Amino acid sequence: MTDPQPIPALQSGALVSIAEVTKTYPACPGDSGPGPGPSPDPGSVGGGRRIVAVDRVALDLAPASVTAVTGPSGSGKSTLLRLVGGLERPDAGVIAVDTEQVTALPPRALPGYRRRIGLVFERDLLIPDLSVLDNVRVAAPARTRADRAATADLARELLDFVGLPHAAGARPGRLAPADRQRVAIARALFGRPGLLLADEPTGALGSEVGGEIVDLVVRIRDEYGTTVLIATHDPEIAIRCDRVVRLRDGRVADDSAALA
């Protein structure tokens, strides 16, 4: 069996279209609460009640923009990012990145798609036994000495970009939490993605340090032309973005430009 053809690399400033996307999950046993949003027909999925995490969300993200998705815990922020990132499948609706319909990709093509976007989570998920430099280039093929030299050069360039030019040889455990998150951002940028998804990247950090991380995200937009979708519960972080989309019970409750 031959490997599937890789999807085209995303261009700088990916256009993202989210059209009437819905995602539900089975209700936990013993959970008698109403759950967010209206429940689908109980007979629709195995006859059990479903919790609606994302409810008919429709958004278009402009290329080279930073959009914040806000809302309380359980509003659907993280689920929406996971759907755009191809980490989960929606029950209904279409997600497209540039001309590629993510929701139409077969399972075998999804890893290739995810390698072509940037993903940053609240936890940095760095590999403790690898150096910072090797964490940044961990997903890159390095079959030859020339490959290894090229990936090391790019990793150093990205570490310089995120403000850690002298940390290449360190182990992640020796870095402060904010610096580990900077390494995670450098790793997400290694493939020069047109789209960066950041799920609560400042959630484990103080507000001042978190603001520095968001300043870095804005620089990514400015210098690389990357489209950024960032989930955050912090309004002080959201107002630094170009646009703020507020979710409530899985639905878009407000969609507006951020305050200047």
Side-chain angles (χ1 to χ4, degrees):
M1 180 181 295
T2 59
D3 291 334
Q5 288 295 107
I7 64 173
L10 301 178
Q11 298 300 310
S12 179
L15 173 66
V16 179
S17 178
I18 303 167
E20 297 297 317
V21 166
T22 294
K23 178 66 177 178
T24 67
Y25 298 101
C28 295
D31 179 5
S32 59
S39 293
D41 180 356
S44 61
V45 187
R49 192 173 66 83
R50 307 285 292 185
I51 300 297
V52 182
V54 172
D55 189 6
R56 293 168 290 177
V57 168
L59 297 170
D60 288 324
L61 308 184
S65 64
V66 180
T67 299
V69 180
T70 70
S73 297
S75 61
K77 304 185 300 296
S78 294
T79 299
L80 182 62
L81 262 68
R82 289 178 65 83
L83 293 171
V84 176
L87 297 169
E88 296 194 42
R89 295 277 198 181
D91 298 324
V94 175
I95 298 171
V97 178
D98 285 333
T99 60
E100 191 73 37
Q101 281 200 24
V102 180
T103 43
L105 291 173
R108 65 182 183 180
L110 287 172
Y113 165 72
R114 289 192 290 265
R115 286 194 294 270
R116 288 167 173 80
I117 64 175
L119 295 168
V120 180
F121 302 96
E122 181 174 357
R123 295 180 58 197
D124 55 71
L125 302 179
L126 301 178
I127 301 172
D129 293 335
L130 294 182
S131 69
V132 163
L133 185 141
D134 285 339
N135 266 281
V136 172
R137 61 176 181 171
V138 66
R143 300 180 181 88
T144 67
R145 181 176 299 178
D147 287 340
R148 290 191 291 274
T151 59
D153 287 345
L154 178 54
R156 290 190 182 95
E157 176 187 329
L158 290 169
L159 287 172
D160 184 62
F161 176 80
V162 301
L164 295 172
H166 305 300
R171 291 290 190 268
R174 298 185 66 85
L175 302 182
D179 287 341
R180 292 199 296 271
Q181 194 63 288
R182 289 175 183 272
V183 176
I185 291 171
R187 178 184 58 194
L189 294 175
F190 192 87
R192 299 298 202 204
L195 173 63
L196 177 66
L197 303 175
D199 188 5
E200 297 281 10
T202 66
L205 307 174
S207 59
E208 181 177 350
V209 176
E212 294 173 0
I213 295 296
V214 175
D215 288 341
L216 176 57
V217 169
V218 172
R219 280 186 59 213
I220 292 168
R221 176 205 62 193
D222 293 342
E223 298 191 28
Y224 292 147
T226 306
T227 303
V228 182
L229 183 61
I230 179 171
T232 180
H233 65 278
D234 188 342
E236 296 300 320
I237 299 301
I239 63 174
R240 300 185 186 210
C241 302
D242 302 317
R243 176 183 178 192
V244 180
V245 176
R246 184 165 59 90
L247 297 184
R248 178 185 296 163
D249 295 339
R251 300 173 180 172
V252 175
D254 186 64
D255 183 356
S256 60
L259 299 176

